[in-house]
Amino acid sequence: MAVRAVRAVVVPAVGAPLEITGIDLPDPGPGQVRIRLAAAGVCHSDLSLSDGTLRVPVPAVLGHEGAGTVVTVGEGVTHLAPGDGVVLNWAPSCGTCHPCSLGEVWLCADALSGAADVHAHRADDGTGLHPGLNVAAFAEETVVPASCVLPAPDGVPLTDAALLGCAVLTGYGAVHHAAKVRPGETVAVFGVGGVGLATLQAARIAGASKIVAVDVSPEKEELARAAGATDYVLASDTTAREIRALTGKQGVDVAVECVGRAVTIRTAWESTRRGGRTTVVGIGGKDQQVTFNALEIFHWGRTLSGCVYGNANPAEDLPVLAEHIRAGRLDLGALVTEHIALDGIPAAFENMRAGKGGRALVVF
Ligand SMILES: [Zn+2]
Ligand SMILES: [Zn+2]
């Protein structure tokens, strides 16, 4: 099989330091596409894959939020051609499983099957590499099933479009699909990273009357306000009380948790008004046990829900997001706090661990 060496970020084993190394990429097989990446966002889920919070086979090439240009297409791919701009979709759907048949494509039971057939190898010793979250976007080029590729929207630079593949779809979907925020409702967003910033912008687009951002870092207030926050609360033991004070003692109509920690989920729940909705976007570990007493579940009448990939259908939502971008309602540049090269990813992981910054974007 023909191969071509490209540079990539590899997690060699769970918890091991990242390696920036040459990999051999196979030519695209039937139904596959080779993409040259223009940009890739560094998402907290990449960190979760590398530290074992999310389990995937290793060694793996990380990166799942990317956009680029088609280089070559495999046999049977007729809807894409070399030169086409594309956004990577790490959660492709089969269209036939039970969730897909109900329209819940983000829960596709078969989402991972095609990508498992694409095996890159380490250039130095030939070790097989798995595509981390299907698309292996932390590489100069990648080969993916055609189902992992969506046409890039017109009028949006590919470097911006990369963010559509995870953070923006997730944040927008949390507000519009999962929580279904209505105009005039109040919203609190916990965690001001890339997804949190996208969630704040989505709440603004939805016409929320008050948007409270919560984070442990005072340095994120400016970013949060630029993304639509009307109020900023520094996370503490009294966060829920402060949010109730900001909302006529009621609590917010909708709380969106973008952290994935038990204490934050519990605070988001307590910040939600009676009858309101608490939506958990953050991905936590099994050690994060959240407890509720039976009486409060009855008394508060709240809805607590999870949210996977924004409960979105990427093929339908990307054109909608593109319209918001072109109209100036969605500002992708405001999510990015750092432009880096591939070798800047380990430092970007450290910043995420320390809760610093918004999105770091790898520009190739
Ligand atoms: Zn992600
Ligand atoms: Zn399916």
Side-chain angles (χ1 to χ4, degrees):
M1 184 182 286
V3 293
R4 192 150 119 206
V6 298
R7 268 163 43 90
V9 174
V10 171
V11 56
V14 170
L18 301 181
E19 292 176 8
I20 295 136
T21 183
I23 65 167
D24 292 330
L25 211 52
D27 273 344
Q32 297 176 350
V33 190
R34 180 193 279 263
I35 312 292
R36 181 176 303 124
L37 273 297
V42 182
C43 179
H44 207 276
S45 303
D46 294 308
L47 183 58
S48 300
L49 292 181
S50 77
D51 69 16
T53 303
L54 285 174
R55 288 303 172 113
V56 291
V58 286
V61 179
L62 295 179
H64 60 277
E65 181 180 89
T69 307
V70 174
V71 181
T72 48
V73 299
E75 195 187 314
V77 178
T78 53
H79 65 294
L80 292 164
D84 286 356
V86 293
V87 175
L88 295 174
N89 169 18
W90 58 261
S93 50
C94 72
T96 56
C97 71
H98 185 60
C100 280
S101 71
L102 296 172
E104 298 174 0
V105 295
W106 56 95
L107 300 176
C108 177
D110 205 25
L112 307 183
S113 62
D117 296 335
V118 179
H119 280 280
H121 297 86
R122 289 182 62 118
D124 50 0
D125 64 4
T127 309
L129 298 168
H130 301 273
L133 263 180
N134 288 335
V135 294
F138 289 166
E140 292 164 326
E141 296 189 9
T142 186
V143 174
V144 297
S147 59
C148 288
V149 164
L150 295 161
D154 289 337
V156 180
L158 286 175
T159 42
D160 284 350
L163 300 167
L164 295 173
C166 189
V168 176
L169 207 51
T170 300
Y172 174 84
V175 166
H176 289 264
H177 300 308
K180 295 186 169 60
V181 174
R182 292 165 292 203
E185 288 195 309
T186 55
V187 176
V189 177
F190 293 76
V192 182
V195 171
L197 288 168
T199 304
L200 290 167
Q201 289 202 34
R204 180 170 63 188
I205 290 170
S209 59
K210 188 180 277 287
I211 305 172
V212 186
V214 183
D215 198 277
V216 291
S217 165
E219 286 140 33
K220 292 194 181 177
E221 176 165 358
E222 202 179 321
L223 270 177
R225 287 191 185 272
T230 57
D231 297 86
Y232 193 80
V233 172
L234 210 50
S236 73
D237 293 348
T238 59
T239 297
R241 205 184 308 154
E242 287 175 59
I243 289 175
R244 283 197 297 274
L246 286 168
T247 48
K249 296 187 182 157
Q250 295 184 71
V252 285
D253 296 304
V254 169
V256 182
E257 202 269 2
C258 303
V259 180
R261 293 187 59 210
V263 64
T264 329
I265 293 169
R266 190 59 227 192
T267 306
W269 164 264
E270 289 171 13
S271 304
T272 305
R273 73 163 166 87
R274 202 174 180 197
R277 289 98 75 201
T278 309
T279 302
V280 178
V281 174
I283 302 171
K286 285 181 180 172
D287 60 327
Q288 296 293 310
Q289 292 286 337
V290 191
T291 58
F292 304 92
N293 70 59
L295 182 62
E296 69 175 334
I297 291 172
F298 160 76
H299 172 78
W300 289 101
R302 295 165 177 144
T303 302
L304 175 69
S305 67
C307 176
V308 176
Y309 206 7
N311 297 7
N313 181 335
E316 288 177 6
D317 281 354
L318 240 54
V320 175
L321 291 170
E323 198 45 52
H324 286 308
I325 295 165
R326 288 190 291 262
R329 293 184 288 267
L330 186 58
D331 177 7
L332 299 187
L335 306 183
V336 178
T337 46
E338 204 183 2
H339 292 90
I340 59 175
L342 267 185
D343 55 13
I345 290 176
F349 271 33
E350 284 312 311
N351 284 339
M352 281 194 290
R353 279 198 191 93
K356 286 186 195 157
R359 218 21 148 221
L361 185 71
V362 180
V363 179
F364 292 90

